[in-house]
Amino acid sequence: MSESENIVVETAERMFADLADAQSIIASKSDAWKAPVWDALADAGLTLPWIDETLGGAGADLATGFALLQAAGRAALAVPLAETMIAGWLLARAGLASPAGAMTVAPAQPNGRITLSADGTLSGRARNVPFAADARHIAVLAATADGASVIALVEAAACQIAAGKTLAGDALNGVTFDRVKPIAQAPAPTGVDLTALMLMGAAARSLQIAGALETALDITVRYANERVAFEKKIGKFQAIQHSLARLAGEVAAAVSAAGSAADTLSGGRVAGDALLLEVAAAKIRCGEAAEVGAAIAHQVHGAIGFTSEHILHRFTLRAQSWRDDFGPESHWAVELGRRVAARGADDLWPLVASR
Amino acid sequence: MTAALTFDPIRLPPECEKLRQEVRTFLAEEISAGTFSPQRAQKSDDTDAPGFSKRVGARGWIGMTWPKKYGGHERSFLERYVVTEEMRVANAPVRRFFVADRQSGPVLIRYANERIKMDILPRICRGEVCFAIGMSEPNSGSDLFAAKTKATKTDGGWLINGTKIWTTSAHVADYMLGIFRTSAPTKDNRRHGLTQFLVDMKTPGITVNPIGQISGQSEFNEVVFEDAFMPDDHVLGEIDGAWKQATSELAYERSGPERFLETYYVLTELVRALGREPDLRGAEGIGRLVAQLHTLRRMSVSVAGMLQAGKEPVVEAAIVKDVGTIWEQQLPHRVRNLAAFVEPNVSNHETLERQLDFAMKIAPKLTLQGGTTEVLRGIIARGLGLR
């Protein structure tokens, strides 16, 4: 990790520990914690790290932002940080400045389609947009009638936002654009299309999942070293040790796959099938790790981990719900499998070995 | 994460790509000369593995990381990684030199005297000698420190008596690195009392008996020692202290590409059998397997990078082997399911069937050899602070 990544991660982790501690959030039984941590992040420039200072951002590199997202995952942070970062990134691609406050991005699924009509208004529906109900603005990737991509900024209040929640209870909303007039719009540059947006979103979610699983492992190991049953610490039982070793393997896979995808996007020189391999693999493997890892973490905790008062669910439920955003595992597996097949059997190993 | 575990996104440096092309060209020549077939994982008995080893040695691809004065090439672990993975994917007959290259040579470099090093290491590098590992015994496998085969002090050396078992390649090996009991374990340390020896397999008093395997091969053996004499300078490292030497070397043995690529060939043939436009089920199946493969490789390269940096990533290496061997064990079963609706008239149908047959037979051993899943999970648990 570079010096600037370290500084950002340490700064963010201090804020998360002080203002978004999982146990304190559960004890507070309210959402009052959200505004202070958001303000702290925004004041430090961490909500728009990927944007030049001229466009209202902090001008950090992609790698730093990705490290921040993994740290946010480790805290199971439930404010629209990733969404605002991606929205700001998208707007900046078209030279549009980012407004203050929380944003989200639409579409947030690979089959979403929003159109820009000749009269300059947006129409269409985006399913499962994370935190739309909590966002002040939405960055939209739309298509014109002749197929060109356009990036637009709209006020969330100008859209119809359906009620909805994730497994973890965070806002997840259908957004309907009914002739919505954007605040600003500009053509998307070549290469910034729905696929590019989904790749960015999938990489972000992979890092968040990896981070959440890192903490789930920490919490679970700690619990196994404290909890006594049958007159010894349960971590001394071989059955528990082997379960935790499996959990560590899943966490290692998630961290590796997500880190590799982030590193690839940060480098900026890899495109096409190799980029698809990196990001699809991360989203698929992190999703699988979330499934296995959450099950083991809960199994080791027993009933206490199933209570609303315990912090474990903040990590395990978010890791699960993040799997569905920006394309679930099945979407990415089909995309990757089709590309691998189209290249042919003998080109599979060269593709894998190229990374 | 839990402070002990690191998996940084290490990339292979650019010089590796040139090397990779050289290896691919070499392997293509060997394949067209009929030395081996990439579609055939099961080597026929007349495969010219010794000749192949010498040609690999002549290219400078054995002992790549070792000092030049011992015949090595002082190249990086990452360059060695590239050679290893290309050989594995091509199903090249590497067994003759691979054990010496991976672990026996490094042990000799660290613990053997200069005369032995100058004698044996250059021959390993030339692909002329084959090594076996003598650890398991009839009543001690995973429980290495229960080994009973005895080394008794005699004039100028030691007499070995007892039996090693499951010793891969012993029937063709020139040397073995064996662990023998030189003292009884102590009350405080049951691992005490074992010593590592270099064994010349031509020593009188050594009998090798082949053991048939369920795969139809007999790669492993029983090795019986009856008053086999080992000279004093064949002791490697500290007398009674082999347990201290054994663990740090295992990171090399556990994290390489050979720990997830052993059944890779069935994935290639699955992609071929499903064709350029697979149905949804086929595409998703391929996509998931490729995602898992890529992730394992990224984990494994990360460990190679740590080894190159002089670290001892024992726990990370154990994780790679645990996750990797289970994946390569499950792979033929997953491929079999995904290929269930492949028409028999698909061109590679017979190849795929033959490969699946072999891969499913060898699958059970993949999580046993070189440290069982259970042993690995114990090591990982210790790394997590549970032991």
Side-chain angles (χ1 to χ4, degrees), chain B residues 60-110:
Chain B
W61 295 334
I62 305 177
M64 287 179 77
T65 62
W66 305 353
K68 285 186 177 163
K69 67 169 171 173
Y70 301 133
H73 303 277
E74 300 184 6
R75 299 178 81 162
S76 71
F77 282 102
L78 297 173
E79 289 175 289
R80 179 181 177 274
Y81 191 96
V82 166
V83 174
T84 307
E85 68 177 356
E86 290 297 327
M87 297 252 176
R88 286 284 155 175
V89 164
N91 268 325
V94 299
R95 182 144 259 165
R96 285 284 168 126
F97 62 85
F98 192 69
V99 168
D101 178 64
R102 180 177 66 189
Q103 59 199 103
S104 312
V107 171
L108 293 178
I109 289 172
R110 198 150 167 198

Side-chain angles (χ1 to χ4, degrees), chain B residues 171-186:
Chain B
H171 59 303
V172 291
D174 302 283
Y175 297 98
M176 169 196 282
L177 291 191
I179 304 265
F180 305 118
R181 184 154 294 287
T182 41
S183 300
T186 61

